[in-house]
Amino acid sequence: MTHPLSTSLPRTLSFTALATALSLASMSAMADQWRGWNIHPPEYPNSIALESFAEEVTANTEGRVEPKVYHNAVLGDQPDAIEQTRNGALDFANFNMGPMGPIVPATNVLSLPFVFSSEDDMYRLMDGEIGQRFADALEEKGLVALSWFGSGARSLYNTKHAVETPEDVQGLKVRVMNNDLYVEMIDALGGNATPMAYSEVYQSLKTGVIDGAENNYPSYESSGHYEVAGYYSNTDHLVLPECLCVAKASWDELSSEDQEIVRQAAQNAAKEQRQLWAERSEASREKVLEAGSEINDVADKGAFQAAMQPIYDDFTAAHPDLAPLIDDIKAAQAE
């Protein structure tokens, strides 16, 4: 005779398995799957820091929030990604402040040439009350800035000669990002500014469509631009911060406990990114030197800064409400 327990046992196991599956499905449904935008390849300092952010948030929220980073701008270019994050279609992103100006006018201040005298000054100010002012402006447009990444100091490089003085820029066709302030900057030095997609720069340098561009060491190296433009001059004319931003819609759905976890993870990611960036910058500099690039430090940046004064005058005339912010940034670096 078959024992009663022998027939009920499979049924009991079946119910147990079903209950476990339903429980796991319920937990999965409760998890908030966050999609994150990133323009860089997976091995880039920013990308590594973003992956650390995602891992820390997932672990410390016990899976209530599960961020996933999509690298290489596979979810669209930055202007599209900004809009997607503002309307909640994307949950978080690493944005450069250069292209943010059309959406958040206050961030154009960060694109003024020589507004920061060094990366250290930029980090110090963006981590404090000055940075909070920009964060407030971003939040009004649907973006919650939780921490600030670095993108190095941008300098000029070209195919012709070293740049020591503003006169050395005269007549050079220089690629810039699509921002009127960058066009005005090159024009003020007597060059011919050429807004152009980053992907087109290498071939344009090679064929002589442009004579030069401006960027940081890692970009100069990783893009291969050093192969066709062998003169890199440390003008350090732009020191642009980047944000780790969360969609306000996604942020507001978090509990206060989870908001604190996400904020702390973002700040930890910024520390990691800055360290990795410094290491990558030095490695890139060494690589292009070994490849034969000629690198020079500009001895008198004052001449370049003086040439920028008309840009500041025009900017503050057009945006008088932002003049106190510029003054405060300058004053904080003179202390």
Side-chain angles (χ1 to χ4, degrees), residues 16-34:
T16 300
L18 177 61
T20 301
L22 288 173
S23 176
L24 290 172
S26 175
M27 288 174 63
S28 177
M30 291 173 61
D32 197 354
Q33 306 280 346
W34 273 16

Side-chain angles (χ1 to χ4, degrees), residues 3-311:
H3 195 283
L5 286 177
S6 66
T7 57
S8 63
L9 184 57
R11 185 176 300 173
T12 301
L13 291 173
S14 176
F15 281 132
T16 300
L18 177 61
T20 301
L22 288 173
S23 176
L24 290 172
S26 175
M27 288 174 63
S28 177
M30 291 173 61
D32 197 354
Q33 306 280 346
W34 273 16
R35 296 198 310 155
W37 181 88
N38 175 35
I39 197 171
H40 304 291
E43 68 276 7
Y44 208 73
N46 302 44
S47 307
I48 296 169
L50 286 170
E51 291 290 356
S52 296
F53 165 78
E55 291 171 8
E56 183 175 338
V57 169
T58 300
N60 290 348
T61 63
E62 299 179 338
R64 291 186 299 275
V65 182
E66 295 182 357
K68 178 176 174 57
V69 187
Y70 292 84
H71 304 293
N72 286 317
V74 296
L75 300 180
D77 61 15
Q78 176 153 318
D80 289 339
I82 291 172
E83 287 305 316
Q84 289 185 68
T85 309
R86 289 180 65 211
N87 64 34
L90 292 175
D91 299 287
F92 68 103
N94 167 209
F95 290 134
N96 186 287
M97 292 295 100
M100 190 67 74
I103 304 299
V104 186
T107 61
N108 276 322
V109 168
L110 300 170
S111 289
L112 287 168
F114 301 104
V115 72
F116 293 115
S117 59
S118 68
E119 289 181 75
D120 287 343
D121 276 341
M122 183 273 286
Y123 288 139
R124 177 173 62 85
L125 295 184
M126 294 304 292
D127 285 342
E129 186 269 337
I130 293 291
Q132 187 57 50
R133 292 198 222 176
F134 289 106
D136 292 343
L138 285 161
E139 187 163 357
E140 289 178 4
K141 300 297 183 179
L143 300 168
V144 179
L146 299 181
S147 65
W148 303 101
F149 286 9
S151 62
R154 297 175 75 97
S155 291
L156 291 168
Y157 53 90
N158 73 93
T159 62
K160 304 293 187 182
H161 50 246
V163 171
E164 297 279 4
T165 68
E167 288 72 27
D168 294 324
V169 183
Q170 289 184 5
L172 292 180
K173 294 171 289 186
V174 181
R175 179 265 177 180
V176 294
M177 292 184 289
N178 190 19
N179 184 312
D180 288 344
L181 285 171
Y182 306 150
V183 173
E184 293 171 17
M185 175 184 68
I186 297 300
D187 288 348
L189 297 173
N192 299 315
T194 306
M196 179 185 293
Y198 186 60
S199 59
E200 299 174 11
V201 176
Y202 183 95
Q203 191 63 22
S204 296
L205 286 167
K206 187 175 182 179
T207 59
V209 172
I210 57 175
D211 302 310
E214 52 85 45
N215 220 314
N216 50 55
Y217 278 123
S219 295
Y220 177 60
E221 175 261 312
S222 63
S223 62
H225 293 177
Y226 70 95
E227 299 170 356
V228 288
Y231 297 94
Y232 190 101
S233 302
N234 287 311
T235 51
D236 298 337
H237 52 268
L238 288 173
V239 183
L240 281 169
E242 302 189 359
C243 75
L244 200 172
C245 286
V246 171
K248 192 171 190 307
S250 302
W251 178 256
D252 289 344
E253 290 179 355
L254 297 176
S255 66
S256 58
E257 176 189 358
D258 285 348
Q259 284 182 347
E260 182 54 35
I261 289 171
V262 173
R263 186 182 298 278
Q264 186 60 55
Q267 292 173 354
N268 291 341
K271 292 177 184 177
E272 181 180 19
Q273 189 272 344
R274 295 176 190 183
Q275 179 61 38
L276 291 172
W277 181 267
E279 294 170 0
R280 174 64 185 271
S281 292
E282 182 56 30
S284 293
R285 179 180 178 277
E286 291 298 324
K287 180 176 178 178
V288 300
L289 272 173
E290 291 173 4
S293 290
E294 294 188 23
I295 296 177
N296 69 286
D297 292 325
V298 174
D300 181 17
K301 291 181 183 175
F304 287 86
Q305 294 167 345
M308 299 299 109
Q309 191 56 49
I311 297 176

